[in-house]
Every structure is written in C-alpha cells, then in structure tokens.
Amino acid sequence: MKPEHAAEFRFYAELNDFLPPKQRMRTIHYRFSGHPGIKDPIEVFGVPHPEVELIIVNGQSVGFDYQLQAGDRVAVYPVFKNLDISALIKLREKSSPNNPHFILDVNLGKLAKLMRLLGFDSLYRNDYWDAELVNIAVSEQRIVLTRDRRLLYAKQISHGYWVRRVDAEPD
C-alpha cells in the first residue's frame, strides 16, 4: 500500500544525536497511511520515547496518544533542563529529582561504580536480560541508563536516557 499522507518533523537539541547526519537539524518529511500514533514515527526516526519531553504539533502541545494527520508540522524536544514547561502537556509523570533511582544496562559497569561511589541508588548486573531490566525499572520506578538505544523503545519504560559518552574524563 502506497503512503497517502505526509507530515513534517523537526527534532531539537540532543535528539539529533539519534538521527543520521543528513537528517540532523532540519525538517524531515514523513509519509504514512492512516493515522498512526505520534510515538510511532518518532521511534521510526530512531529517537527513543523516554528521551522526548515535549511534542508540538501545529503549534499545540500533544501527548503520545496524538494521532498523526496529513499536513501536520511536528516539533520534538528533549528534556528541558533550564526552562519551565509545566503549563504544557507532559508525556509522563515526573520522576523524583531529589531521590532518583537508576538501573544501568550491561554496557555501563564503570558508570554504575562511579554513581554508587557518589551515593546514587544504582542497580547494575552484567547479566540482566533486557526484559528483566525493563520489569525492574517499571516495578521499582527506576530511570534506565543505557548504551543500547533499542532498549529505550520498550513501551513500559517512561524514564530513560541513552548515555552518549562512557568515559568520565573530559576531552
């Protein structure tokens, strides 16, 4: 079946890390049939949903349940660190900033050790299966830290971060 509709997407700030170089910092055209949920095309472009904090469609804030329409202009933003967007639609419940709990995947053993030394509640084992890690993250409300961005596509994960660097020393 040939796609019958088109929409425009633009990803901002560090969300561009997930895109191929030719698609970074520019408008990307997306062709589709029917009315897919907005989360589907975002992840088709390679951006895991836990990395997304705000979605604006045609000037209006929307949630992951929004159904994409022909001609939509979509702006996708990462977590805001210095801007209060509390009046806009939030895509997930806020995690506790005062007492965050983490779970790290097999690729982040050194980071887990450093986080524990700094006093962060950080679960880590080098033999977690992805499904087990997801179940623990959900049941214990933990933030997933990973080098495997496919892990962040798990629908059950609401809070996660794709670790872009593994060395602790600055360049």
Side-chain angles (χ1 to χ4, degrees):
M1 175 181 250
K2 189 174 184 177
E4 55 195 65
H5 305 299
E8 294 179 350
F9 280 76
R10 177 78 189 252
F11 294 88
Y12 289 88
E14 62 263 20
L15 294 182
N16 283 281
D17 293 348
F18 299 104
L19 302 174
K22 290 182 179 181
Q23 292 182 334
R24 293 178 183 160
M25 297 180 282
R26 64 188 55 194
T27 299
I28 307 167
H29 297 280
Y30 178 74
R31 299 201 179 285
F32 61 97
S33 296
H35 300 288
I38 194 83
K39 186 175 137 193
D40 294 336
I42 288 171
E43 289 192 335
V44 164
F45 284 117
V47 177
H49 70 274
E51 294 272 345
V52 176
E53 180 73 8
L54 178 66
I55 304 168
I56 304 289
V57 177
N58 304 324
Q60 299 293 315
S61 177
V62 301
F64 282 129
D65 59 344
Y66 178 80
Q67 301 292 301
L68 195 61
Q69 306 293 315
D72 279 348
R73 294 181 57 109
V74 181
V76 186
Y77 296 90
V79 174
F80 288 91
K81 295 170 182 83
N82 296 318
L83 182 63
D84 180 13
I85 61 167
S86 58
L88 301 173
I89 290 177
K90 301 296 272 189
L91 300 177
R92 66 191 70 72
E93 291 296 317
K94 191 86 170 150
S95 64
S96 172
N98 296 332
N99 191 19
H101 307 285
F102 299 93
I103 187 165
L104 293 83
D105 78 1
V106 66
N107 301 303
L108 297 173
K110 289 180 183 177
L111 178 60
K113 182 179 178 180
L114 290 172
M115 289 180 68
R116 288 173 179 164
L117 287 171
L118 292 170
F120 288 100
D121 179 352
S122 304
L123 285 183
Y124 170 80
R125 280 196 348 235
N126 64 2
D127 63 348
Y128 280 134
W129 289 92
D130 285 356
E132 182 182 14
L133 193 140
V134 169
N135 287 336
I136 293 169
V138 171
S139 67
E140 297 183 15
Q141 299 180 340
R142 291 184 175 272
I143 300 166
V144 175
L145 300 179
T146 182
R147 286 287 298 153
D148 175 8
R149 73 174 131 167
R150 300 304 280 167
L151 178 62
L152 292 179
Y153 292 147
K155 292 180 182 184
Q156 304 92 326
I157 295 176
S158 63
H159 293 85
Y161 184 76
W162 179 58
V163 177
R164 285 144 175 89
R165 291 182 59 144
V166 292
D167 58 341
E169 298 299 321
D171 288 334

